[in-house]
Amino acid sequence: MPMSSRTISPEIQYADLSQQGDTAQLGMWVFITTETLFFGTLIFTYYIYRILYSHEFDVAARDAVLWCGSANIGILITSSLTMVLAINAAADGRRRAMIWWLIATAALGMCFLGIKGYEYNLDYNDKVVPVANFEMKPGEAPAGELFWVFYWVGTGLHAIHLTIGVGLVLYMLLWRIRRGEITPDYYAPLEVVGLYWSFVDTVWLFLFPSIYLVGRS
Amino acid sequence: MTTIAIDLPRNYATEENTIVSWLFTKDHKRIALLFFASITFFFFIGGFAATMIRLHLATPGGLLQPSVYNRMFTVHGVMMVWFFLIPSIPNTFGNFFLPMMIGAHDLAFPRVNLLSWYVFNLSGLVLLYALVMGGIDTGWTFYPPYSTQYASGYVFAAALAVFINGFSSIMTSLNFVVTTHRLRAPGMTWLRLPLFVWAMYSVSIVMLTATPVLAMDMFLLCVERFIGVGMFDPSRGGDPILWQHMFWFYSHPAVYIMILPAMGVVSELISCYARRPIFGYLGMVMALMAIAIISFFVWAHHMFVAGISIYSAVVFSLLSFFVAVPSAIKVFNWTVSLHKGSIVFDAPMLYALGFVLLFTIGGLTGLIVATLAVDVHVHDTYFVIAHFHYIMVGGTVSAFFGGLHYWWPKMTGRFYPESWARFAATLTFVGFNLTFFPQFILGYLGMPRRYYTYVPAWESWNLLSSAGASILAVAYALPLFYLGWSLLYGRRAGPNPWGATGLEWTTPSPPPTHNWELTPTVKLGPYSYNPEDGSYITQDGVKHAYV
Ligand SMILES: [Cu+2]
């Protein structure tokens, strides 16, 4: 890895790098707004059905694998911490620390995906995959299938977002940082990725209780 | 070719003029032209479907098979809404002029801008695939359970196309919002922004807020259609009305996505061609933002007869009336801006005046359909069809053509032939009214929309409407010829041929690649026109005499 960082000049439309970094962050915030509405619509729809069929959903939700969801929320919150520590290290110019914290972040993200994949496997064996492999258990009602539709759509979309997040962290590590484009003077790209990461984390913060906890007492 | 290269100063279009340089350009002006090509293509497909519809309805006997007719009105709706009207003004004029009007060298994220064009074309290809394979017959509204369970045809591909199209909307509007916030030139304060920029800003906010909701709605529809789960299927616990709620939560604001940019264009045109400052600038800004916000609280007026509760229907009826207040403010202010102006009746002004008139008719009939009791009668009739075509076609498309003529010299460096353009503008107005005014009458008489036939008593009105449509078709095709001609033979235009005040007119025509060598400094607000002698002050503070 080249240790010296190259000089970075702003793109033509920016007066200086700080304006460029500022603008990139605003762009990510606006994007997060749209993503919030995207997932928000799903969660809103979910709760409409959840209220409409509260008993059926409660019964169906008991088949969700609680330990997987709980382990994963711990993993994701930790990964947000390591992400922030990486950005702090970038701001202070502690290059090695930044790299290690980023590796930890990506590893935790992949850990989440691994557990999620294992959980999907358990779900498949439990016959809760609508259409493909679904069996109504004693005491369950047809509307319970809707719970599982939301489960797969919600966790599936979240997993896609997280995969993109891991990809972005790896892109930072293997491309931007290797080429010396992240410096204490200009680390906005890393901050933008961090914002995205925390957003994906936050989505799970809403999905987890909605899927695994509501009505489980 | 060599003569052209010698004559024109080096500009965004001539500098490195290869196909590859166009396809991988990051210049907002070139991307605007790329969008122009795409939406023109889709406009003519949607227009072809419209022609078939009007030909078919000229007589009760008709021309097409019922299943073909259903496919025609669906193609017409989907193409015109998502592939022409919504991107029409923002992705072309917005792309080209928003950075120039605020004194920026480009949009904030040029690569995202280019990606938006590719994603837009990808969604268009997916839709074309659906059409070629056999089309869809659900109507542009995709209502389940018909769309998910009964419709033959390529519903999945068409819904997927709309889903992908949304990414393009979001990318472009995100770019506009961020650019307006961060890249304004020194001195360009918020209240010195031209109203076109405010229109782009407000429409971008609506796009950013509404599109993700439609995206999730379409996504769930695709899941139901493709996998066969019962998300909106009542027999398995789903709720088809829920789909309608989410659909209109997007698609009502979508009407304002189409009209807000048009309002921005018309404000530029009226003040320039009346040589008068726009009346009540702050009120105009507030009205734009008010329309953007209120648009999110009226969606269920599309569902008065869909089985929603009477109380929510009354509330949504009342809320819909509120939209009329800011809309009326705009119409009054445009009218007052004309007062004591020295009006020049050039083609862009004719289009702008046509806009104001047609928008007013469309808006007033909007009050009629928003009235709960009346809507029960006219719901899903041609009255509604006429109402929204007055807004979207009479309004938005007129403004689009007005803007096209107004900015033509800036984009191409050439004048368009004025008398041909005036002729086309007049023809548009006449053809439009002939086409759509009879539909108000037909709707009031009870002719339902989307039916492929009608009772013989309604034949004369239908025939009149179809005849008008043929005039309208000529009026829309004409600019293609004379504007194309002017590209090669039009008279050369100087930097500011109309004597307008915006920063975009302070560059050479056509503008150089990054708009300015040095970032301009803004000295005053827009629209400093003096109606006495026509003189004006451009926003960089230079006073000019009117020529
Ligand atoms: Cu509406």
Side-chain angles (χ1 to χ4, degrees), chain B residues 248 251-253 255-256 295 298-302 320 387:
Chain B
W248 290 114
S251 290
H252 181 83
V255 177
Y256 299 110
S295 75
V298 302
W299 76 88
H301 62 213
H302 297 268
S320 302
H387 153 67

Side-chain angles (χ1 to χ4, degrees), chain A residues 23 25 29-31 54 56 73 101 105 109 153 159 162 168 176:
Chain A
T23 310
Q25 288 197 43
W29 277 112
V30 174
F31 178 69
S54 58
E56 290 90 333
I73 197 166
W101 285 127
T105 308
V153 170
L162 190 61
L168 287 174
R176 301 299 289 265

